[in-house]
Structures are given as structure tokens and as C-alpha cells.
Amino acid sequence: MQDYTLSMDRLAYRVKGLRMAASVLHCGAHPDDEDIGLLSYLSHKYCVRVFYWSATRGEGGQNRVGPYTGEALGIYRTWETLAARSNDGGEALFGPFFDFGYCKRSIDAFSKWGRETMVREMVRAIRQAKPMIVVGRWLGALSDLHGHHQAVGEALYDAFDADAKPDRFPELTSLGLPPWQPAKFYLSTDNTGGDYSAGAALNLFGRLNPELERNGALRINTGEYDPISGMTYQKMAWLAYNNHKSQALGMAPASGDFYYYFTLHKSHVPVPKRECEFFDGFDPTLAGLAERLPGSGAALKDQLRMVVRAVDEALAVLGAADPRAAGFSLMQGLTLLREAVRSERESDTESMYRQAVLLSLDERCRDFEDVAAQCLGLELEGISNKSRITPNSRISVQVRLWNHGGAAIDALNFDLDVPTGWHVEKSRAAAALTELMLDCQVTAKPTAAFTCPYWLRSARNGFVYTWPDDATAGRPFSEPELQANCRVTVDGTALTLRRPVVVRQAFPGGYREFPVAVVPPIALQPQLIQEFRPVSQRNQTIEVHVAAINNAEKPIVGNLRLDGPAGWTVEPECIAIALSKLGDSVSVRFEVELPADILEGLYILRCNCRIDDQDFSYTVTPVRMGALGLPGPPTASNCSKEANIIAPAEIKVSVIRTAWASAQRCAYVSGVKDEIRETLRRFGVSFSELSDRDLVHSDLQVHDVIVVGPNAYLLREELRNNAKHLLNYVHSGGTLIVQYQGYGYQNGEFAPFPFRYNQPHDRVTDETAKVTISDPNHPVFHFPNKIAESDFDGWVHDRGMYFFGDWDKRYRSLAKCADSGEEAKGGGLLTCQYGRGHFIYVAYSFFRQLPAGVAGAFRLFANLLALPTVRLHERAGFLKQLDLFAACEEEQLIAAARLMTESWYADGTVICQEDDVGTELYLVYNGVVDVIKTDGGLKKIVASIGRGACAGEMAVIGNVPRTATLVARGDVELLVIRGDQFKDLLKANSLMAISLLEILVKRLTQAKPPFPT
């Protein structure tokens, strides 16, 4: 809630601000983009209204302080923004755009938000703020380092010019937002010195920059000292910026000069070549508003100058001990201002800005009323006995006017604003010298709308929120459900005071004020909101648990059911529930049967409770902010802020057509929290969680596959310390799948072979970017699921991040993709053989796709997990084609394949040396090997052998020196088996031993020169 009781320093700023008419609109993409020093400097030095408009609420950002993501994080970051504005003196406005995460170019943002929609919403912000100055945070260029930034920069150029055209966006005019043309348009200028360590173009050091000391550039020094607050404007700014806690931002306030630079892009008023202040070229005081209405002549300007003089008189007598004298001066100014407004309304002035100017003057009248009342010691409050109400229920409200200053009140009238259809019963009014009050009983209508952040009341249209067609749109939150009003007359001047009705409560850590919220009488909370099942030839069952919670202060009796798609069976059909009091809950169980051969797709189960012939089907999800210093997550009893997301009570069921390799033993090394293991559990795929201790002491070879979670190497020190254990696991035959890792992954010996990331790292932000399978014959695209490029359809958010930039040629790139206009990036899915095992690096964002139910992602991930199985069968198939292994059974071939290590040799590499003792048998898997013998001191190539050839049997079996040298011709892959393991195979398989004898006899009798041993 807004703090309506002002300290003396804040009261001084408010009084000073009454003489000013100019306001400033600063536009960015995210809640923490602002040039924070600009806001504190203008709002405290000049006491003008400064608005910061953020296109999004930062839903796609990180959250370092709690579990909230997406829309819930947007609510949380709105609170953080309001806290920042409370410190820096600014005000907050927002666009309707959902933060879908990082993108590279403005075209990517426009494709989701719409360029014309962005221009319209910026025009809305201009008409709401009615600024004389617009300051764009971003230039609309690639140097903005983010597609969101660039889009905001580009759209603002159009919005600045569009707002002066009444034929553009007439729907805004119909909402009471008439056209308004700002006088000047500035652009923030990068003064980082190239240090982007705290984010894109954040001015960390405030350097005096000689390169920017030029005509057309304006420099401000936010390091100036403010005598009212007792600190510099930049200190105030950093204190404000530190409220963005979810983004882990923290700045240490310090004294000293601190410079920002702004470039003047366009001005509708004459300005000097080298400006000293933003207001050069026009009068920023109330009197300057008259210049917007040239037909009013000097009369309006003279009247407004008299109002300014009354404010100056109030400032002259404003004192901490007794500010009442200032209050009387402000009431005189209010009377003069009201007369000026009346005269202008009665005039026949013609100007396209007349309606906007009158709205500005009306707003200033309300400001005068509020500040004069503060000076006089008049405090209005509306206190409810409850913070939550259900439709057709009642709450008590007490409205009080505290007359702390003992002002002589001539007349008094209370009123209570409630939604249409609500009933107010005024039960008691009393008066005393210092206290006046009104008691009311308020009853919500039976069909009262539930209280939810206004941008979440309706489903989003893609990545743009659906807003109500009223003045609420663009504000941080809706107006409160109940508002207390008091019209009080003091010394012949009427003042109207307005305050939201709140419940005031103490809690561990302080106190809180919550506005009254309307909630459904019963909330239905499914235990899981998303389920996954495979396509199956048999019927399948889902067990669904739903909690019903009584939000009403009376017993609730109803029938709870679960509605499924046609052909699905739900048992029981209906469950009777009875909840006797507020807060009571019950959990019920349904068994849902899916029919056989159900098609792949998304299906919806809907929870519904019928009470008194009315259906309720809502979840109520609270979003809470904790009080500073309290341990643990915030709860209903100790949170300092709370909002409810009210949404349909649904369970999404994703039915996926996918096959899985059987009997695989999988393990998981967690990194950033993800839902992969829980999602795959529904398909019978289970993972053992590897702890730090397991990484050190357990036998990793018991696992067929180990999957490393996103950023695990950066987050877990023991994983970094024991990375060699994982590589040894691979070398000994294991399969290691590593999901995306940050830059630190390239700095250690964590991968089998060298690689590096580009900087900035390669990523593909367009989730629809075409993916080309670059190695279509690789088994990862064939078993157990056939993968096609269509399996990359329907992905969400992005393709992936932290693709390898350059890599050793022993890695095989399996797929490539790119954002529009960029070269294809092949570093997102790579595999290599390392010893007897397999290493896979996958930068594609499976951690997003699997929880989102993307079918193709399930199939591809299933194939990655199956790679050890398919590789064994691939090797076994290769062995079966060789004479040496042709007589072996499937099990024997698999056993032999398990023993083999895959080795890679570059062109010209010596594989083994003539006369060395032979301890390994070689099978050529890919490539060509030259057989070289020494004859008369000269080395000669006596043969070249290719895929399927065997070399080294005689040396291994006979324990004799090798008779020739083997050298790779081009890149070569060999399957290698140790001599002792080969002998064990022969002992266990007599047919294989006989085959070997036949091969050796044939080789000895036919080979000229003798084949190498």
C-alpha cells in the first residue's frame, strides 16, 4: 500500500512540486532498465513528476529471492518497482507486454508484441503522464544488447511523433486520454566505459566523459547534494535500485560527482546548442501550461503565476514544528487554481491540447487538496475488519478523519466508493474535536468480480496481456475495491480526501495494510496442474487429487466433480463435500481412465464445485512478499504484501507418442532447478540423484546413463572437483549427457576434448527457428524413435543457449539452427566417443520443453538416453559382418561390443610400431590404415586396410612383436580390445576361436607379403 503519511522531507518535496507542471516520461523495456539517477535527480531537485514506463513486468527475468516465475514474478517485480519509486520519488507505468525472455533483435520482439501495438501503448503512456520531456532509455540499435531494448527504442521514435496526431489511436481518446505532444525527446547515452558487468549499458561509475562534452549532449550531475534529504541524488538512486532484489542487484551508495549524459533527439521548442538543463527552452512551472493554449492569452498565465506565488509563500512558512500556515497558503493557491480552471472551461479556446491541459489542472487541484490536508494535519483512513470477502457476504468498514492539527472544520461529509451493485449501510457517525468517523456495513453483490491483478483477469493474447478498457490500464495495480472519501471544509475551502480501505494488522516483523480483496467462496487446488502420459494401445489411469478450501465465513456444502474430454471416464462421477468454517479444507481423489489408442495432444481436466445452483471452478494462487529479516518463505501470517492469481481449476494432460529403451539405469546430477526427472517419471523413466558424496565415493559404472543438469558445473564445487570421475566413467563405457553450462565450463577439464564458447555465447532465441539435422544417419535420430525436423515444431521460449562455438573435430555435430539473419550454429547437439563410452553435449533447452509437453522434445530426449543401447547394437551389427565374429550369437556380440574402446587417430598418427610387443587388437571402424614394413632400412607401404579389417591378432595371441607399423591415412576410428579380454572371448566362444584359426591359416598361406601381426 502507498504510504499516505508523509515525513517532513517528503512533505517539502510535495509542496515544491505543486508549483511545477512539467513532467518527464522515461521509457525502458524491463523494471530495472531505468537510468535510476535521472529519476531521483528530477523528482527531488526540481520536484517534477517523473514516470518510468516499463514495457514488461520482467516476467522472464531471474528470481534470486523466491520461487516465483512468469506471471507471479511479474507481480513481485511490480512491488519491487513501486518500492524503488518510493525511494527515488518517481511513479510507475507499465506496458501490456509479457517478458518472454532474451531475444537478439527488435524484429523478434515485434513478432510477438506487434510494432503498432507497442507504439500505441507508448502513446497511451504519453497521454497518461502528459510529459513535457520524454527520455528513451534505449537507442533502437544493436548496441542496446537485447531485442526488447531495441524494440522499445525503435517504437518510441514513432510514438513521440504519433501522439500529436489525433487520428492515430482514436480508441485512446475515447478512454479519456486526449492527444498530447511532449516538447523534447532525449536519448540516454552510454556512459559505461564498456563495463557491462552489471547489465547492458548500466552507468556504474558516472565518469566525466570528454567524448560526450559536445553540442546536443546534456550532462547532469546526480552527485549534487540535496539538503532536504541529507544525501546526494545518486545515493538516493542506488538505495532505490537496491529494491530490485529478485534480480540480485546491489549498489553501494557513495558521495561524489556522478554524471549522466543525454542526447537531444528532437525538440519542439528553441534550445541553445549546449543545454544546461532539461527545461531549457520552456517554462516548467504551472504558468508554462498556458503556453499550450495560446488562445487563452495572458489571462490564464497570470492566474497560474498567482498560484505559483501562493506555493512559494507556503514554502516560505513551511516548518517541521507547525506546517499549518503552509496549509492555509496552499488553500489560497487551490482557490486561485480552481478559478483558473473554471475560467478556462468557460472560455472558447481552441487547441488540440485543451482537454489534456484541463485534465492536468484537475490533477493538480487534487494534489493541492492532498498536500494542504497533510499540512493541516488532516488524516483520512478507511479500516476494514477483513482483508478478504466473498460474493454476497458482508464486512465492516470504519472511515475516520483525524484532525491532528485542530483545524476549525466548517463542514464534513463522508462517502464510500464501492463497485456497482454493492450495498452500503451507514450505521453510525460520531464527531469529536480531534476525531470524526463513520461506521458502515458493506455487502458484496452475489456476482461480485474476484480481485486479481487487472492484467491477469483474462487470458493473454499470445505475449500481450488483455487489458480492461478503462483508466486502470498501464497503472501498477487496479484501483482498490473500496475507497473512503471525505469532503471537509476548512476556512471556507473545500478539500476532498481519498484513501483506499484496508485492513491493518500486526505480524511478526512489523505491520501490514492489505486492501480488501474479493475471492471465490471455494478454491479448488489440484495437487498437480500438469500430467503426462504416453500414447498406448491399452487404457491408462491417472490418479487426480484435488483440495477444496473454504474461503467463506460460513459452512459450504457442495458437489465436486472432475470433467474430462469425451470418451474419458472419471470415477467417482461426483463427490459431496462439506466444509464447516473459514479455512477448512478437504482433499478428494478421482481416478481418470484414458481410452486406448488416444491421439497425441493436449487434453484438459476441469475441476468444478456446484454450490447453491452455482458452479465454481477457480484456483486461488497467492503471491507473497516477505518482511525483511524473517526466515523462510513468506506465509499468509507473516507476508508484507499479497496478491491472488485467480485462474480456472484445470489439469493439463499431455499425451505423447514416444518409445523408451527398456531396463536402463539412469542417474541425474542436478544443477539449476528443473523438472526433467519428475516429468519423465510419468513414462517409467527413473533417475538416481547423485549427491556430492556420490560423485566422490560411489561406483558410477552401475549407471548406463548420467545426465548433468543445466549449469551444474557452475553451481556445484564438488562436481568441478570430481569432473575426472565422470570422464573416467565415460572412458570405461558410460554415457554422459551434459545440458547447457555457462562460460566457466570451458575453463576446466570437464569435457573429453577441447572446445570454447563464443562471446557472447551462441544461442538461438527464436523457438521456431528451422532445425536442420546435419547427421541424419546418426542413431540418435532413429532409435527408439524416428526423429524428423517436424519434431522441432511447437517448441517454447527458445531453441537453446551456450552452444559450443568451436570444438575439436572428434566431436560430431548432429543438428544446427540459427536465428533469422545469422549463420547456422552446429554447437547445440554434439557427441563423441571417449574410450568405451559416449559423451553428449546438448544446449537445446530440454529443461523448458519437457515440462511444457513438447512432444518432439520427449522423443529426442528418449533417443539420447537410449544412445548406449543403440551404440552397443550398432557395434554388434558391425561385428556380425566380420568373419571373426560371424558365428557369434547376439549376446556374445553385445558382450564383445561392451569390451571395445573407440579410438580416434588424426591423419599421419602412428597407431602401433613395428617390433613393439602387441597388447591390443584393432578393428577398423571408419577410415583407412596404411600397413608399413621396414625393408633394407626403408619403410614401405605394403597394404592399406579399411572398414572391417582386423589387425594385431597374431601379436596378441602369440605374444610376439608386431611385424608392421600401422599409420592413419586421414582421420581414422578404430575399435580396440585388449589382448587379455580378447583371449577371454575366445575361451568362452569355441566357434569364434575356430573362425580365428581359419582366418589366420588363410592369411598365412595367401598373404604376400605376410599380413601384419
Side-chain angles (χ1 to χ4, degrees), residues 127 165-175 177:
R127 296 187 184 187
K165 302 172 183 177
D167 57 331
R168 291 290 301 271
F169 313 115
E171 67 273 21
L172 296 179
T173 303
S174 67
L175 292 175
L177 296 172

Side-chain angles (χ1 to χ4, degrees), residues 63-196:
N63 186 356
R64 297 291 183 86
V65 298
Y68 301 125
T69 60
E71 293 167 343
L73 179 58
I75 294 173
Y76 198 93
R77 295 191 69 182
T78 301
W79 287 331
E80 291 183 329
T81 297
L82 291 175
R85 299 296 81 84
S86 178
N87 284 130
D88 61 34
E91 299 176 55
L93 293 173
F94 291 93
F97 306 106
F98 181 80
D99 181 352
F100 57 84
Y102 176 80
C103 66
K104 296 173 183 174
R105 301 176 308 158
S106 59
I107 191 172
D108 303 322
F110 289 142
S111 70
K112 290 181 169 63
W113 295 341
R115 184 186 183 108
E116 187 71 357
T117 303
M118 289 198 71
V119 174
R120 183 193 68 215
E121 293 308 322
M122 289 179 167
V123 169
R124 183 197 300 268
I126 290 172
R127 296 187 184 187
Q128 287 174 325
K130 294 178 282 295
M132 293 298 289
I133 295 168
V134 172
V135 181
R137 179 65 180 85
W138 304 110
L139 303 179
L142 289 175
S143 60
D144 292 335
L145 304 178
H146 197 311
H148 296 181
H149 298 167
Q150 188 180 355
V152 167
E154 288 184 25
L156 189 56
Y157 294 114
D158 293 345
F160 183 84
D161 294 328
D163 196 38
K165 302 172 183 177
D167 57 331
R168 291 290 301 271
F169 313 115
E171 67 273 21
L172 296 179
T173 303
S174 67
L175 292 175
L177 296 172
W180 177 266
Q181 176 63 66
K184 301 165 80 173
F185 181 13
Y186 291 88
L187 297 170
S188 296
T189 304
D190 185 353
N191 192 31
T192 63
D195 187 339
Y196 299 149

Side-chain angles (χ1 to χ4, degrees), residues 911-951:
I911 298 168
C912 65
Q913 193 74 44
E914 186 178 359
D915 295 328
D916 285 350
V917 177
T919 59
E920 294 175 319
L921 171 70
Y922 302 110
L923 300 175
V924 181
Y925 197 50
N926 281 307
V928 177
V929 174
D930 288 331
V931 181
I932 300 175
K933 286 187 63 68
T934 303
D935 184 8
L938 298 176
K939 295 182 181 296
K940 296 181 179 179
I941 298 176
V942 296
S944 295
I945 56 177
R947 180 175 171 82
C950 179

Side-chain angles (χ1 to χ4, degrees), residues 137 174 192 366 418 491 576 599 660 904 957:
R137 179 65 180 85
S174 67
T192 63
R366 290 192 289 272
V418 299
D491 198 28
L599 297 178
W660 303 86
W904 181 91
I957 294 173

Side-chain angles (χ1 to χ4, degrees), residues 1 12 193 197 272 339 398 461 543 593 608 612 626 670 675 714 762 791 793 814 821 865 881 908 941 949 1001:
M1 295 296 297
S197 59
E339 176 60 27
Q398 187 174 81
N461 180 14
E543 194 173 278
E593 186 173 84
N608 202 311
D612 296 333
S670 295
E675 301 174 33
L714 276 65
D762 287 345
D791 283 302
D793 294 343
L814 305 183
L865 293 178
Q881 299 173 28
I941 298 176
V1001 169

